[in-house]
Amino acid sequence: MKIARAPSTNRLSLTTQYTIAICLLTTVGMLVLTGYLLRNQILQNDKAVNEYGQVLVKQMAIATAQPLRFDDEEKLHQVMTSYINEYRVSGAAIFSTDNERIAALGTLPTPENIRVESAYYEIPVKADKRDWFNSYYLIHLHPIQNGQTKSGYAVLVLSHELMTKAFKQQLAIMVALAVVIMLIVTLGAFQLGRRLSDPIKHLVNATNDIREGRIDHIPDRRNDEIGALIDAINTMSQGLIRKTELESMLNKFLTEDVASKVMDHLDPVHMAGEHVDATVLFADIVGFTSISETITPEDVQELLNEYYGYFNACARFYFGTIDKYIGDCVMIVFGAPKYDANHEYHAVACAILMQKLVRSLNQKRAKEGLYPIELRIGINSGKMLAGLVGSKERMEYTVVGDAVNLASRLCNEAESEQIIIEESLYDKIHPNHPITVEAYKQIRVRGKQEEVSIYSVRDVDVPYQVVMDDLIKDILAGEF
């Protein structure tokens, strides 16, 4: 079963994501709306300024017609002065039909810049290129009529900067309001993000509590999508609890590695098992039938449990797995279900440790006036099948094959306190891990047509003997 990986802690929180998303949408919307309104406002403002100038210049043309007719320059200056003072006009002038300046006040275009064919045009103040914030002059012209005769032109000069001053102030206010609105939207988006993400955060914390075993379900009840998710998680949690209880129960009957392997192989596709290269150890208590006849069943149980505990400690130290207990016999597998590159040597070293441990126990038993316990051990290595074996109603994880059968036969052939291995196993171990063996011989084993060459193992190399002696002390002291 694959377990989903926990999300990275470097990712943005949901609150931050919601806030950013809402702010981005709001900002884009406000920019589009502001741009649209600003463009319309500029066009409307320019139109109003143009109409304002046209009205003023027309009024001035009417007001200066009589003084121009009678060459009353003083009256002309009075009229132009009143327009400059009262109507925010930058300049005023009267030109003849030949573009000659008759009267002028304020800022004015040169005669060559007078375009009598245009009623309105613009002249930049600082540059030829105009944009929204450049200063430029608006030139308005209107013919001065005396009856049906055109006697000249009235010219008004309006400063765009002066005429749009109020508009720029409004624009500044709009920008300030936009900034304030964005701040309000950001705070609102943050609060909304928290309201949306807090239930999810609570759900994440609750699932972590379930994973750590602090709670077994989420008590919250909601009538929305999150509530449906809580119900689904609670259902899943009950399944996980059942699985954990099953694993805990299996660990009482099987080693941890075997229990994990069984859980992983619940899928029918994997029921066929897998071929492995492993080593099997069979250890049998010699004369156990006679011993059991002299003691009570309770004492038999106590004796077996005590020695099985010791054997399990020896197996764990050398990465072995207790496959099963068969009466007074124990079967230990090395290299399966957990891979072990040195399973051959570990099996032999475990057997030597078991024999030495039993001898140390016998010394203690002799002082207590108890009968000795002796072991015989057979070991073999080779190809075997590891997997679930049994019926549909009851199965167990084990290894099977000819190599396993031979290990059992060698155990039966062994004598008291003897460890028997097959010749090929000795050849695999000896080059890298020197061991002391004796009594090379060939024997005929039941189920085999040809004789089998065997060795009797006595001990490991000297440095490893010291390690084993210290380990026996720890096992007897209950520290392993």
Side-chain angles (χ1 to χ4, degrees), residues 204-389:
V204 171
N205 294 333
T207 55
N208 289 332
D209 289 340
I210 290 176
R211 182 179 61 186
E212 299 296 331
R214 290 189 287 269
I215 61 175
D216 57 6
H217 74 285
I218 302 173
D220 292 8
R221 289 291 179 267
R222 298 171 63 102
N223 295 322
D224 52 13
E225 290 80 358
I226 294 179
L229 182 59
I230 290 175
D231 292 339
I233 291 177
N234 284 337
T235 301
M236 181 181 66
S237 172
Q238 295 304 312
L240 292 175
I241 291 173
R242 291 289 299 168
K243 180 178 180 293
T244 301
E245 292 174 349
L246 177 59
E247 289 178 344
S248 177
M249 185 64 66
L250 282 175
N251 287 333
K252 295 181 180 180
F253 296 95
L254 305 171
T255 62
E256 183 177 353
D257 291 337
V258 172
S260 299
K261 201 72 173 181
V262 170
M263 295 300 295
D264 290 340
H265 283 64
L266 290 179
D267 190 340
V269 175
H270 298 103
M271 290 298 187
E274 58 182 341
H275 292 277
V276 296
D277 189 3
T279 302
V280 179
L281 178 155
F282 282 90
D284 184 32
I285 298 178
V286 178
F288 182 77
T289 301
S290 300
I291 295 174
S292 61
E293 291 176 351
T294 61
I295 58 178
T296 64
E298 290 77 12
D299 292 336
V300 172
Q301 181 185 26
E302 182 180 354
L303 175 66
L304 289 177
N305 289 340
E306 177 187 0
Y307 277 82
Y308 286 162
Y310 293 139
F311 298 160
N312 183 62
C314 296
R316 285 192 293 113
F317 184 79
Y318 284 106
F319 312 105
T321 300
I322 301 293
D323 184 276
K324 61 173 65 71
Y325 299 108
I326 312 169
D328 61 321
C329 178
V330 60
M331 175 182 171
I332 307 175
V333 181
F334 299 83
K338 193 173 183 179
Y339 175 76
D340 181 7
N342 296 317
H343 57 86
E344 298 95 343
Y345 171 72
H346 287 155
V348 173
C350 179
I352 296 172
L353 178 62
M354 291 169 66
Q355 292 287 21
K356 289 188 174 187
L357 177 60
V358 170
R359 284 195 285 269
S360 296
L361 289 170
N362 282 336
Q363 294 176 4
K364 180 181 178 181
R365 292 176 67 85
K367 293 178 182 180
E368 297 174 355
L370 299 175
Y371 49 85
I373 300 296
E374 297 175 345
L375 291 183
R376 57 180 181 181
I377 299 175
I379 307 173
N380 191 41
S381 178
K383 296 290 183 182
M384 55 193 72
L385 186 67
L388 294 174
V389 178

Side-chain angles (χ1 to χ4, degrees), residues 108-120:
L108 293 169
T110 58
E112 59 269 17
N113 285 333
I114 297 298
R115 307 171 190 171
V116 296
E117 71 279 0
S118 301
Y120 163 80

Side-chain angles (χ1 to χ4, degrees), residues 11 46 81 115 131 140 168 172 190 305 339 370 431 434 437 464 479:
R11 296 183 61 183
D46 287 347
T81 300
R115 307 171 190 171
D131 59 36
H140 294 271
K168 290 181 179 179
F190 181 76
N305 289 340
Y339 175 76
L370 299 175
V437 296
Y464 296 102
E479 298 179 0

